[in-house]
Amino acid sequence: MSVHESRDTAAPPAAPVPPAGGGSVLDRAHRALSIGIVSVVLLIAFEATAVGTAMPVAARELDGVSLYAFAFSAYFTTSLFAMVLSGQWCDRSGPLAPLTAGMSAFAAGLLLSGTAGSMWLFILGRAVQGLGGGLVIVALYVVISRAYEERLRPAIMAAFAAAWVVPSVVGPLAAGTITEHIGWRWVFVGIPCLVVFPLALALPAIRRTASGPADPDAPLPPYDRRRIRLALGISLGAALLQYAGQELRWLSLLPALAGAALLVPAVRGLLPRGTYRAARGLPSVVLLRGIAAGSFIAAESFVPLMLVTQRGLSPTLAGLSLAVGGLTWALGSYVQARPWTEPYRERLVVFGMVLVALAIAAAPSVLIEAVPAWVVAVAWAVGCFGMGIVIALTSVLLLKLSAPEEAGANSAALQISDGLSNVLLLAAGGAAFAALGGGAVGHAASGGAATGSHPAAFAAVFLPMAAVAAVGAWVATRLGAGRLGAGRPGGERRAAEGK
């Protein structure tokens, strides 16, 4: 089904009835499912923190620091297509199969990257991993929409954030130790072994509570081939723009123009009408998610590289500089889930985006030798608190605005905005980084940051991302929590009109 089409003429089919009789996400009716899906998030969190720690060393050993941003954006590029496919797959037959296929691809991509002999093969592994990640994240949202009552959704989103706490602390330390003493490849090839446990927990619970189509009595909807073509267009367009940004030659204008020609109509077709102009309701929720995630991830991707090459920190210490952020992210998500925040949630999102902008702006201050390196840890802890608020609330609002049969497609739209923004802002940041000599930092010795010092290259990444996050604070004022109606029959049209 199309995210941008109004459904005034059709009554929504009945939603599957969530498990009854529970008062929390850990009551008897929800316990197995909650533990299972939180275990999936725990694995994803461990992968993200561990891989981020090992990435600077992997890029240097594969002689690919100039392609550093590609190693991150390749994941998001392929996940854009997978998100659309997962949304349709989930709406058609339930989230069980997409989740299983996604976790399998996720593990296969890690193995491919961990055994890569060149940077481009490493990037290919990250792309395969992105296919799996895109399938998984949308499937998890659909599980939540079907298996949890609306009043429990903020709590399960807070549990997702809490699942990042231990990996944020243990992941960088473990990955840094493995990278320094055994080798970065073992960080990648070791994680797939952890896939079995969360799948064994999650799949039986999902089969019992959230499998099958939203309306078992309705005929199965066909796959929307137009949306799948648009999804391919958005992924290919994003990849071409990323390639053009990395090459920085006049001939790069050709792939850049081709990428834009593919991307623009695909974005207009896959995101709610009014997203690009921050119309109230669902369009602004989707737009804000992209702005918040893209600006923060693009900046965070360069933090370990900056600390290793400019301040001479070890990969372990560089990774641990982000560890406290896992705690504060969970705290921010916990705060938004408290009942007393209900009347103030729009203001909370604005506050969260202001914190994100300030944190990103403060991080490059460590490029000044007189500023201690721990300033990054403090700034990122503040930014992660803001992100914990913003990400959880945009997820909650998205599900609140979605009719049951639209949960898959609308969740895909939210994740497309998230992933596309990551790709485009990483491409922009990577292009600025390369243009100002950032690729040369890979030739610095491990302890000799000064010989590879390019502070302007890093500043060109962080400061524009801080400005993007500041724009997000304005978009947050457009959520219109008291008038949200998009995502339900007829509601999206009203939201797109700003009413």
Side-chain angles (χ1 to χ4, degrees):
M1 72 191 65
S2 175
V3 175
H4 66 277
E5 289 175 356
S6 176
R7 292 180 171 262
D8 293 298
T9 59
V17 178
S24 76
V25 297
L26 289 177
D27 62 31
R28 195 160 138 191
H30 297 92
R31 187 180 301 124
L33 178 62
S34 296
I35 293 173
I37 62 176
V38 169
S39 297
V40 172
V41 175
L42 187 70
L43 172 66
I44 294 172
F46 185 78
E47 180 274 339
T49 55
V51 167
T53 301
M55 195 74 78
V57 176
R60 286 196 300 191
E61 287 194 10
L62 295 174
D63 195 24
V65 172
S66 62
L67 300 173
Y68 186 77
F70 247 138
F72 289 95
S73 63
Y75 179 100
F76 299 115
T77 299
T78 55
S79 69
L80 291 172
F81 170 73
M83 289 169 189
V84 175
L85 177 62
S86 184
Q88 293 199 37
W89 197 352
C90 289
D91 287 342
R92 178 181 168 84
S93 57
L96 186 62
L99 184 63
T100 305
M103 292 296 287
S104 300
F106 191 79
L110 281 166
L111 289 174
L112 182 56
S113 289
T115 57
S118 67
M119 191 62 177
W120 281 112
L121 192 58
F122 179 89
I123 290 170
L124 177 61
R126 293 287 290 165
V128 173
Q129 193 183 340
L131 286 172
L135 291 172
V136 168
I137 190 63
V138 173
L140 287 178
Y141 273 66
V142 175
V143 170
I144 293 170
S145 72
R146 294 189 182 186
Y148 294 87
E149 302 92 325
E150 186 173 325
R151 63 188 175 83
L152 294 181
R153 291 172 188 167
I156 194 64
M157 290 299 179
F160 279 10
W164 281 77
V165 173
V166 173
S168 295
V169 176
V170 176
L173 181 60
T177 301
I178 291 171
T179 298
E180 292 176 35
H181 297 287
I182 303 178
W184 62 267
R185 295 182 185 277
W186 290 99
V187 175
F188 288 83
V189 301
I191 293 175
C193 301
L194 305 177
V195 168
V196 177
F197 178 71
L199 283 182
L201 281 174
L203 297 187
I206 293 173
R207 185 178 292 110
R208 289 194 303 270
T209 60
S211 62
D215 184 0
D217 298 325
L220 289 179
Y223 283 101
D224 188 335
R225 295 182 180 179
R226 174 180 172 272
R227 284 179 57 77
I228 292 177
R229 287 195 300 270
L230 290 175
L232 285 172
I234 204 172
S235 294
L236 181 57
L240 287 171
L241 284 175
Q242 173 73 18
Y243 174 79
Q246 290 293 132
E247 286 299 308
L248 297 177
R249 296 179 300 173
W250 283 110
L251 287 178
S252 299
L253 287 175
L254 295 177
L257 291 173
L262 288 169
L263 201 61
V264 172
V267 169
R268 290 177 63 87
L270 292 172
L271 298 185
R273 282 197 297 263
T275 298
Y276 70 96
R277 57 183 176 85
R280 287 191 178 274
L282 182 65
S284 285
V285 172
V286 171
L287 177 62
L288 178 62
R289 178 58 165 265
I291 289 175
S295 59
F296 193 78
I297 295 300
E300 186 178 61
S301 299
F302 284 86
V303 169
L305 187 66
M306 177 174 67
L307 293 176
V308 168
T309 62
Q310 307 302 289
R311 297 301 298 264
L313 270 65
S314 68
T316 303
L317 289 177
L320 284 174
S321 68
L322 306 178
V324 178
L327 294 169
T328 56
W329 190 306
L331 179 61
S333 188
Y334 173 83
V335 167
Q336 66 79 33
R338 297 305 87 200
W340 61 265
T341 65
E342 179 69 34
Y344 311 107
R345 282 181 172 168
E346 184 178 337
R347 297 179 190 175
L348 262 180
V349 178
V350 176
F351 175 65
M353 285 307 305
V354 170
L355 293 182
V356 171
L358 291 175
I360 297 174
S365 64
V366 299
L367 294 168
I368 302 171
E369 286 292 333
V371 177
W374 54 258
V375 167
V376 169
V378 174
W380 230 245
V382 171
C384 284
F385 179 79
M387 286 294 287
I389 293 173
V390 174
I391 296 301
L393 277 179
T394 51
S395 301
V396 170
L397 288 173
L398 184 281
L399 295 177
K400 180 179 180 180
L401 298 173
S402 299
E405 79 281 6
E406 293 179 326
N410 286 351
S411 296
L414 187 76
Q415 298 303 325
I416 287 168
S417 177
D418 186 318
L420 179 61
S421 181
N422 286 334
V423 172
L424 295 182
L425 292 179
L426 273 167
F433 182 73
L436 293 175
V441 302
H443 302 296
S446 298
T451 62
S453 180
H454 290 271
F458 287 97
V461 174
F462 287 95
L463 298 183
M465 297 309 152
V468 172
V471 172
W474 171 79
V475 174
T477 66
R478 304 281 297 166
L479 300 183
R483 290 178 284 174
L484 290 174
R488 297 192 176 104
E492 189 178 289
R493 186 192 63 214
R494 292 192 294 273
E497 293 169 354
K499 296 180 181 178

